[in-house]
Amino acid sequence: MSNVTKLSGKVAVVTGGAGGIGKVICQCFANEGARVILADLDETAAMRAISEIDCAENKVSYHFLDVANENSWQNLFKYVENQFSRLDIVVNNAGIYLFKDIEHTTLNDWNRVMSINATGVFLGTKLAIPLLRKTGGGSIVNMSSSSGITGSPFEGAYTASKGAVRLFTKSAALHTAKDNIRINSVHPATTDTSMVEVLWESGPDVKKMVTDAVPLGRLAQPIEIAKTVLFLASEDSSYMTGSELIVDGGMTAI
Ligand SMILES: NC(=O)c1ccc[n+]([C@@H]2O[C@H](COP(=O)([O-])OP(=O)(O)OC[C@H]3O[C@@H](n4cnc5c(N)ncnc54)[C@H](O)[C@@H]3O)[C@@H](O)[C@H]2O)c1
């Protein structure tokens, strides 16, 4: 490994770090010299993820977080300030999927999806700003989706939540630009993680149909999304803020 790393000396919070994409983001950040706080609701999955991440001891540590709960965020950032005395990067990656058309979506379904996918990103952005400002700037990467750009007949609440992330990111980026805090969103299409297993279980040929519909002819791998997040988190994207990076194998070009 080269001695020159992209995130050397940086402190990063990655939400949903125990999941398919989040774990690989934590691995990429650790490879680039960051100290990473893997923040997730699921402690068991988080400890398993940390044991699978290949890095020096204590490079990636766990802290509990429910992204939908403001107190939980305040506890996390208090811990970060006391433990690390700085914050450079926040990846608002935690999210849940809902495979339901709008007529089958209950109000509870809607509120749950919005509270995690949209409110979670709002809280993680708003409450990170004072700490990032103290550091002198930083980068926030918000995980949206190609489903935050195009509609889908069977993802009513999910598309609404991811569309909210897309425009919230732009407004937040305009608010923080003078503080040298860059905020961008990432828009993956279907990525090979357990989140989309519900899709594969919905019919015998669904996985083949979804895969065949992708112009590049395959699903995204978590590392392909993680590398995009790393780009936005690092100084390689120093002139980018309020932008949306689409990583979808060509899906939205159709
Ligand atoms: N997998 C895909 O096809 C795909 C495509 C586009 C966008 N995305 C987005 O990428 C992100 C990561 O997806 P993934 O595929 O890795 O999913 P995943 O289900 O593998 O991981 C999601 C993680 O978020 C955590 N989480 C859920 N609710 C939480 C909460 N309230 N507080 C804290 N943590 C919580 C889970 O415990 C889990 O570790 C999500 O925002 C998802 O919407 C995924």
Side-chain angles (χ1 to χ4, degrees):
M1 196 170 63
S2 137
N3 287 331
V4 183
T5 50
K6 291 180 194 291
L7 303 182
S8 171
K10 307 281 186 194
V11 173
V13 166
V14 179
T15 75
I21 295 173
K23 182 180 88 172
V24 184
I25 296 172
C26 292
Q27 176 76 71
C28 284
F29 281 13
N31 289 351
E32 294 296 338
R35 283 171 294 166
V36 183
I37 298 98
L38 185 164
D40 204 291
L41 195 62
D42 185 340
E43 179 170 2
T44 308
M47 296 321 286
R48 194 183 322 120
I50 288 180
S51 74
E52 289 165 4
I53 292 171
D54 179 18
C55 66
E57 215 183 319
N58 297 332
K59 268 276 183 208
V60 182
S61 56
Y62 171 66
H63 197 282
F64 174 83
L65 175 69
D66 176 358
V67 293
N69 182 308
E70 187 166 20
N71 285 335
S72 186
W73 274 109
Q74 282 160 342
N75 289 339
L76 170 69
F77 286 137
K78 239 181 256 159
Y79 163 80
V80 171
E81 192 162 24
N82 291 338
Q83 198 70 19
F84 300 94
S85 307
R86 66 182 293 134
L87 177 66
D88 301 275
I89 297 159
V90 176
V91 183
N92 285 307
N93 163 74
I96 56 169
Y97 184 57
L98 185 71
F99 182 60
K100 281 188 182 178
D101 67 52
I102 57 167
E103 285 188 90
H104 289 94
T105 299
T106 65
L107 182 57
N108 275 345
D109 286 336
W110 172 271
N111 285 337
R112 184 170 144 70
V113 170
M114 294 305 281
S115 72
I116 294 171
N117 293 4
T119 307
V121 172
F122 157 66
L123 290 173
T125 303
K126 173 189 155 98
L127 298 174
I129 290 169
L131 260 182
L132 294 170
R133 203 180 268 133
K134 264 196 207 170
T135 308
S139 171
I140 299 177
V141 184
N142 291 334
M143 191 60 77
S144 180
S145 170
S146 55
S147 300
I149 293 177
T150 57
S152 157
F154 48 82
E155 293 178 343
Y158 185 74
T159 52
S161 70
K162 293 300 185 179
V165 170
R166 176 173 176 248
L167 273 186
F168 168 73
T169 297
K170 294 181 194 302
S171 297
L174 294 174
H175 173 67
T176 60
K178 292 279 191 292
D179 291 313
N180 191 33
I181 300 169
R182 300 183 299 105
I183 314 183
N184 295 285
S185 58
V186 175
H187 300 258
T190 313
T191 305
D192 201 3
T193 73
S194 59
M195 196 186 90
V196 288
E197 258 153 36
V198 61
L199 256 181
W200 313 147
E201 287 158 9
S202 69
D205 294 326
V206 175
K207 190 165 190 178
K208 183 175 170 3
M209 274 163 46
V210 170
T211 306
D212 287 350
V214 181
L216 283 182
R218 61 182 179 80
L219 302 180
Q221 291 303 311
I223 183 68
E224 296 176 292
I225 312 307
K227 281 181 184 169
T228 309
V229 172
L230 172 62
F231 169 69
L232 290 173
S234 77
E235 284 302 300
D236 284 350
S237 60
S238 54
Y239 201 59
M240 290 176 68
T241 197
S243 70
E244 50 198 64
L245 270 188
I246 299 173
V247 195
D248 71 348
M251 284 299 286
T252 54
I254 298 171

